[in-house]
Amino acid sequence: MAMQKLVGVSSDSNGRSANWSSRITFILAAAGAAVGLGNVWKFPYIVGENGGAAFIAVYLACIAVVGIPVMIAEITIGRMGQQNPVKSISNICKRHGISKNWKILGFICVLASFTILSFYSVVGGWVLHYVTLAMSQSFSGLDHAGVEGVFSDLVSSPSLLLFWHFVFMGTTMLIVSKGIKGGIEKVVTFCMPTLFAILVILAVYSATTDGFHESIAYLFNPDFEKLTSEGVIVALGHAFFTLGLGMGTMIAYGAYLDKNISIVKVSCSVALLDTIVALLAGLAIFPIIFSNNMQPESGPGLIFQALPLAFSNMPFGSYFGILFFLLLTMAALTSSISVLEPVVQYLEENWQLARRRATLIAGSACWSVGVLSAFSLNLLSDFHPLDFITTLEDKTIMGVLEFVSSNLMLPVSGLISAVFVGWVINRKFGRGSSFDSGAVGSALLTTTKYITPLAILVVFVSSLF
Ligand code: TRP
């Protein structure tokens, strides 16, 4: 077993799943974590709002300066420590005489993934509900009030929400319980190419609609006047969220990565894939919105109201609707499994539970916490638990969980990983173990040590006030 640890090969015989079958399956799984609801409903909108190509340039810089370095740091921690986020860090620290206080990073990761999954699953449930609605042609002939009604019927019904939340979490648990090779790998190798193919079909269709030119202008014309300092903060925050950083996903996935694979290369590939999908999503969605004389809006309204309305009005719209919601389902599921994995790994390794039991416990606990988020939309919509904190005023339980995890836990965890790998790990092991040798590696290391922590701090502080 010691030898196995040394060369980064593990097998089912030592109580955990085997490594990824290949570099490609790792990239697909990590890209699956990255490509999620954020790419489809948030990115296209914030690009349009914040100055088109000007914003895209800033966003790409954020991916390069913060996204890729933090991803490299997380994968490095996982591969060196060979276990869940908490144990990986304590393994590294114990073996090499580093203060074990760094373990706090692992706890933040596991806590953050648990929290984020609890409400991500509620929204994942909405997507499943919409797949069934699209399949039963429930949108055809609806007007604006009609689609709004469908959405408010869903969010105002606790039982419907809980049911779909249950189905979504159950599916996530089923996949994760089967382990890396038997579950996660199989799902991502099917879902990621399929998702990409659907997106291309939708984008090609959209290119034939009247709204295409307007969309290109909306997305790509640089408008530096619209780009404010707030836009820069939005870009950095989104770079974090969209790559799935700060929650230990990449630590958990990195633990199963073979030693001979370049972490720099896989991280760049994942960031590139994620960006391509986000841009394609914009090219697929906005033409449909514009050619129906509607205005782009963000969040639930765009996906669950504007698009169904557009689908109800266009030729073959019901088929496009089905394709679109299937795409969203795959995007959401490949993210949710990546968020459950670190928690399950933790229970397996720290509590010595079998994978199935670990999944059952983690998933049900997460589902139960998610119930509070589901109720935040109806029964508890007037309950603002942390009203006495100005930043959290007027936020429901779901709002608080979302704010605390995305704006507090993710940046803090990203900051600690960058400092841990850039300074501590690098001093002990040199940069070969994470950043590769060569000019790119050395530029990335310098970025990770100085620029990444500074950039995260600036955004972190400004997002709080
Ligand atoms: N990246 C996903 C999206 O764009 C969401 C997600 C998956 C995530 N794993 C994560 C966000 C880890 C933060 C941390 O929707």
Side-chain angles (χ1 to χ4, degrees), residues 32-39 116 120 238 240-247 249 274 335-336 338-339 410:
V35 172
L37 299 172
N39 296 60
I116 292 201
Y120 205 79
H238 190 67
F240 236 90
F241 186 83
T242 190
L243 291 181
L245 301 174
M247 291 206 316
T249 288
D274 184 72
S335 293
S336 65
S338 80
V339 182
L410 300 190

Side-chain angles (χ1 to χ4, degrees), residues 98-392:
I98 302 167
S99 156
K100 64 177 194 296
N101 291 339
W102 291 101
K103 222 167 60 172
I104 182 86
L105 168 62
F107 283 113
I108 299 178
C109 288
V110 172
L111 192 67
S113 34
F114 185 86
T115 314
I116 292 201
L117 183 58
S118 71
F119 59 79
Y120 205 79
S121 168
V122 174
V123 181
W126 301 356
V127 175
L128 293 181
H129 179 59
Y130 271 67
V131 171
T132 60
L133 290 179
M135 286 185 166
S136 59
Q137 313 234 333
S138 307
F139 302 124
S140 60
L142 288 187
D143 58 3
H144 196 85
V147 289
E148 248 177 50
V150 170
F151 186 67
S152 65
D153 283 349
L154 170 64
V155 292
S156 62
S157 160
S159 54
L160 202 55
L161 283 178
L162 291 193
F163 171 74
W164 287 112
H165 170 41
F166 177 80
V167 177
F168 187 84
M169 186 70 83
T171 314
T172 305
M173 287 160 67
L174 195 71
I175 300 167
V176 172
S177 72
K178 295 194 181 301
I180 291 290
K181 275 217 164 90
I184 298 182
E185 248 186 28
K186 285 196 180 136
V187 169
V188 297
T189 41
F190 171 77
C191 283
M192 294 313 287
T194 313
L195 178 157
F196 199 72
I198 296 181
L199 202 51
V200 170
I201 295 174
L202 290 175
V204 167
Y205 167 80
S206 289
T208 66
T209 62
D210 302 339
F212 187 64
H213 291 289
E214 199 180 336
S215 307
I216 295 282
Y218 184 76
L219 282 175
F220 297 118
N221 270 359
D223 183 348
F224 286 93
E225 282 182 3
K226 272 202 204 161
L227 183 66
T228 58
S229 57
E230 170 143 15
V232 177
I233 294 172
V234 170
L236 194 45
H238 190 67
F240 236 90
F241 186 83
T242 190
L243 291 181
L245 301 174
M247 291 206 316
T249 288
M250 298 300 165
I251 301 183
Y253 278 7
Y256 306 114
L257 186 67
D258 276 343
K259 282 277 189 275
N260 52 7
I261 292 174
S262 155
I263 295 180
V264 169
K265 284 191 190 145
V266 291
S267 302
C268 293
S269 313
V270 172
L272 185 70
L273 283 174
D274 184 72
T275 308
I276 293 176
V277 169
L279 289 172
L280 269 179
L283 288 180
I285 292 173
F286 286 130
I288 298 179
I289 298 290
F290 285 127
S291 39
N292 282 283
N293 298 319
M294 297 193 285
Q295 279 307 307
E297 41 173 340
S298 166
L302 176 64
I303 301 296
F304 297 104
Q305 294 175 20
L307 277 179
L309 182 60
F311 291 136
S312 78
N313 290 326
M314 65 192 228
F316 305 109
S318 54
Y319 297 104
F320 285 114
I322 295 173
L323 280 181
F324 178 78
F325 285 106
L326 281 177
L327 176 154
L328 267 188
T329 304
M330 290 188 272
L333 261 183
T334 52
S335 293
S336 65
I337 53 183
S338 80
V339 182
L340 185 57
E341 176 64 26
V343 187
V344 168
Q345 245 184 30
Y346 174 79
L347 294 185
E348 263 190 306
E349 293 163 357
N350 287 45
W351 295 12
Q352 261 82 46
L353 295 179
R355 178 165 273 261
R356 276 191 160 181
R357 175 166 293 197
T359 315
L360 191 66
I361 292 178
S364 348
C366 213
W367 183 84
S368 312
V369 175
V371 170
L372 293 175
S373 288
F375 287 169
S376 302
L377 301 160
N378 37 66
L379 303 176
L380 297 176
S381 61
D382 292 327
F383 178 51
H384 306 138
L386 299 178
D387 235 355
F388 50 90
I389 302 174
T390 327
T391 332
L392 300 176

Side-chain angles (χ1 to χ4, degrees), residues 9-25:
V9 179
S10 51
S11 67
D12 292 312
S13 62
N14 70 18
R16 50 166 259 192
S17 309
N19 276 6
W20 302 103
S21 309
S22 68
R23 196 170 76 100
I24 300 296
T25 48

